[in-house]
Amino acid sequence: MRIFHTIAEIREFVRQARADGHSIGLVPTMGYLHEGHLELMSQAKKQCDTVIISIFVNPAQFGPGEDLASYPRDLDRDAGMAETVGVDAIFNPGVEEIYPSGYCTYVDVERITDRLCGASRPGHFRGVATVVTKLFNIVKPDYAFFGQKDAQQVLVIKRMATDLNMEVEVVTVPTVRERDGLAMSSRNIYLDPAQRQAALSLNRSLKRAAAEVRAGERDAAKIRQLVIDIIKAEPLAEIDYVEIYSHPDLEPVEAIKGPALLALAVKMGRARLIDNIILHV
Ligand code: AMP
């Protein structure tokens, strides 16, 4: 497995892989890898001849007061993990490589970014769309892999790729969870044992909501309130949002008739955790 820090090096690696007739898969990450990331890489490995992952903590997607400085970073550990699933190359650029001085171009996906995490983290998806566009332009992958854990993010990337005629197929990989149901996240290391326990209410509430829908409940407001009540029962949890939108269009819904995204964000001490489920009728 190769590790590259410059755009010129990764481009040369891609050029050679292409010359060998290889298809290219890209898995963008911010590093501090866990089983969720590895699942994306394994999927990529199944679908593509050459798999490249990027590890870049993207300043453009963090707001003021967020955890950019403290976000966990450990390239040696990540490289060891990526190698176990057969990743061919890691692209790990520095901030100056991606945003050199004088940088002033950004990608804005409208409408579907004005809700959920887009509303509570202004500018977040502008940063995500911009860095992913740059990674697509640098690597020119045939396939790019994103986790359903970040449900809105994958919809934004798909929308962007379609709207801007990008020649890449965006693949969604289901959320990988700990044995007790907590969605895996690099930010879970911020949790102390009591917060870690309280965080189980997120997945528990989503499962309860899905069970209610299976039992015939269709009223989105009632389902939303049920989720809020379950999470509020945990004193350590501070709800950022609990929302239900149509999936994949993210339109408001009153009665659940087709696929609907139930998504939530909850602050648990220093950690802001997100999770979601798609409700089917
Ligand atoms: P991050 O490093 O948090 O930016 O995540 C990189 C990619 O991994 C994104 O596409 C995420 O959606 C995906 N991802 C993160 N956590 C999980 C998880 N628990 N299950 C599946 N995919 C995940």
Side-chain angles (χ1 to χ4, degrees):
M1 189 182 69
R2 312 286 305 277
I3 301 179
F4 303 112
H5 301 288
T6 68
I7 294 167
E9 288 168 323
I10 191 73
R11 281 205 156 133
E12 176 55 22
F13 178 82
V14 170
R15 196 193 60 73
Q16 281 177 19
R18 286 265 179 237
D20 293 339
H22 285 196
S23 59
I24 310 278
L26 174 68
V27 181
T29 83
M30 297 205 299
Y32 210 71
L33 304 180
H34 51 66
E35 292 291 328
H37 295 115
L38 296 187
E39 180 61 24
L40 268 62
M41 296 169 202
S42 300
Q43 278 298 328
K45 202 63 199 172
K46 279 187 203 149
Q47 246 170 288
C48 311
D49 302 315
T50 291
V51 172
I52 298 168
I53 74 166
S54 59
I55 296 181
F56 180 61
V57 182
N58 175 32
Q61 71 188 68
F62 287 78
E66 292 188 357
D67 58 345
L68 172 63
S70 60
Y71 197 85
R73 294 160 168 91
D74 189 340
L75 181 61
D76 288 344
R77 173 183 171 280
D78 289 349
M81 291 173 73
E83 196 150 31
T84 64
V85 291
V87 167
D88 297 286
I90 296 178
F91 176 46
N92 173 230
V95 173
E96 272 294 303
E97 186 72 1
I98 298 299
Y99 303 111
S101 73
Y103 190 89
C104 35
T105 305
Y106 293 87
V107 179
D108 241 318
V109 178
E110 297 184 354
R111 198 182 62 77
I112 59 171
T113 57
D114 65 15
R115 54 211 68 175
L116 303 171
C117 286
S120 37
R121 304 182 69 188
H124 170 68
F125 286 115
R126 180 181 192 250
V128 169
T130 299
V131 81
V132 171
T133 297
K134 287 174 68 76
L135 291 168
F136 285 178
N137 283 338
I138 292 164
V139 173
K140 299 209 173 67
D142 301 289
Y143 299 90
F145 298 80
F146 293 85
Q148 178 60 25
K149 157 90 185 331
D150 299 84
Q152 188 178 15
Q153 170 169 278
V154 74
L155 293 176
V156 168
I157 300 300
K158 281 188 171 166
R159 190 72 248 170
M160 175 187 85
T162 300
D163 289 354
L164 296 183
N165 314 97
M166 293 173 170
E167 274 191 295
V168 56
E169 186 175 323
V170 176
V171 180
T172 309
V173 178
T175 302
V176 177
R177 299 179 180 281
E178 304 283 356
R179 289 169 72 92
D180 59 12
L182 180 66
M184 290 196 179
S185 164
S186 306
R187 291 188 167 100
N188 289 350
I189 58 150
Y190 298 150
L191 301 171
D192 69 23
Q195 292 162 345
R196 172 74 181 65
Q197 188 61 30
L200 296 179
S201 62
L202 276 59
N203 182 237
R204 195 166 63 236
S205 70
L206 296 177
K207 280 166 59 181
R208 257 302 293 286
E212 289 295 317
V213 173
R214 276 198 303 278
E217 184 59 75
R218 296 290 179 267
D219 185 335
K222 278 193 189 154
I223 295 164
R224 177 173 175 270
Q225 194 56 50
L226 174 85
V227 171
I228 290 172
D229 291 344
I230 292 173
I231 297 172
K232 275 203 169 152
E234 295 289 350
L236 295 175
E238 185 197 328
I239 294 176
D240 178 349
Y241 65 74
V242 173
E243 301 289 353
I244 300 177
Y245 285 102
S246 67
H247 190 270
D249 300 329
L250 299 188
E251 299 289 356
V253 285
E254 284 174 16
I256 297 174
K257 294 181 188 137
L261 175 70
L262 166 55
L264 52 80
V266 174
K267 286 201 185 109
M268 201 72 81
R270 282 175 66 210
R272 180 178 175 281
L273 305 177
I274 58 172
D275 203 344
N276 69 85
I277 194 168
I278 296 177
L279 304 170
H280 294 278
V281 293

